[in-house]
Amino acid sequence: MEKVIIVLGHKNDQHGHLSSLSVARCQLALKVLHSARDAKFICTGGFGENFNPTSTPHAHFNRQYLCAHGVDPAAFLPDTLSRFTIEDATLTLPVLSQLDSPDVSIISSEFHVPRVKLIFDTIMPTIKKTYLSAPSPLSAQALSQLEQHEVFAKQRDTHTLKAACAKFRTYTD
């Protein structure tokens, strides 16, 4: 069984500097690596004006951070150039499906993990997963705004996932 650590992306600035949430997620991944030295990594995040205004994928900046802090470049599986959380799951699934019964740890921020769990459990119900929450080094006001967004986003994603599953069932029946 192969251990895989998925580091979900957040944001970077126009110079490629990671947000404090992205750094916290990477730091948690480094802690997990200490107990699973042979783990493989998948970093997520492509391009989007709200999270990455550069011409380099966000996942690349996470990978750079992890390598600068001791992760062997050979430990990386292909990056997932996703734009949002549902794509994090749908685009990592083909990579995970090529592995023999992977044991997956998915890292995000504590306010985001409930939605991540909903999405990844729906998209990959048979893959063994654990969800790890990185602390959010934010002000109470900024954290509250993100928590409010998550309520809306979870409702939206629940609807999207139900519609997609219903559509998929009609194609496979």
Side-chain angles (χ1 to χ4, degrees):
M1 185 178 317
E2 192 154 12
K3 177 69 174 172
V4 178
I5 302 167
I6 301 174
V7 182
L8 298 186
H10 184 254
K11 292 183 179 186
N12 57 264
D13 68 14
Q14 67 275 16
H15 304 293
H17 301 121
L18 294 174
S19 69
S20 61
L21 293 175
S22 289
V23 169
R25 293 173 186 186
C26 287
Q27 288 175 344
L28 180 55
L30 293 168
K31 288 179 185 173
V32 173
L33 182 62
H34 289 301
S35 62
R37 295 306 283 163
D38 60 343
K40 299 292 185 189
F41 285 85
I42 298 174
C43 293
T44 73
F47 306 95
E49 73 179 57
N50 292 329
F51 72 93
N52 179 11
T54 74
S55 60
T56 302
H58 175 75
H60 171 82
F61 299 122
N62 278 348
R63 184 189 285 240
Q64 262 187 329
Y65 182 94
L66 292 166
C67 288
H69 290 84
V71 176
D72 182 346
F76 289 90
L77 296 169
D79 292 337
T80 299
L81 303 186
S82 51
R83 298 168 292 164
F84 45 87
T85 310
I86 290 176
E87 278 191 351
D88 288 338
T90 59
L91 295 176
T92 57
L93 179 58
V95 175
L96 296 174
S97 296
Q98 293 181 12
L99 303 174
D100 184 30
S101 302
D103 176 12
V104 180
S105 291
I106 303 166
I107 297 176
S108 192
S109 303
E110 78 265 23
F111 64 85
H112 189 225
V113 165
R115 183 160 60 103
V116 170
K117 185 173 179 3
L118 165 76
I119 293 167
F120 277 78
D121 284 352
T122 301
I123 302 291
M124 17 179 116
T126 61
I127 294 178
K128 181 182 175 192
K129 299 172 292 302
T130 55
Y131 299 92
L132 303 173
S133 300
S136 299
L138 302 172
S139 70
Q141 181 181 0
L143 187 56
S144 176
Q145 289 173 337
L146 288 171
E147 289 168 343
Q148 289 172 19
H149 166 76
E150 285 299 307
V151 170
F152 161 77
K154 190 172 182 183
Q155 291 171 345
R156 177 199 62 212
D157 290 349
T158 298
H159 175 75
T160 300
L161 291 165
K162 283 182 183 176
C165 288
K167 191 176 199 181
F168 178 75
R169 278 192 294 278
T170 62
Y171 288 137
T172 58
D173 290 341

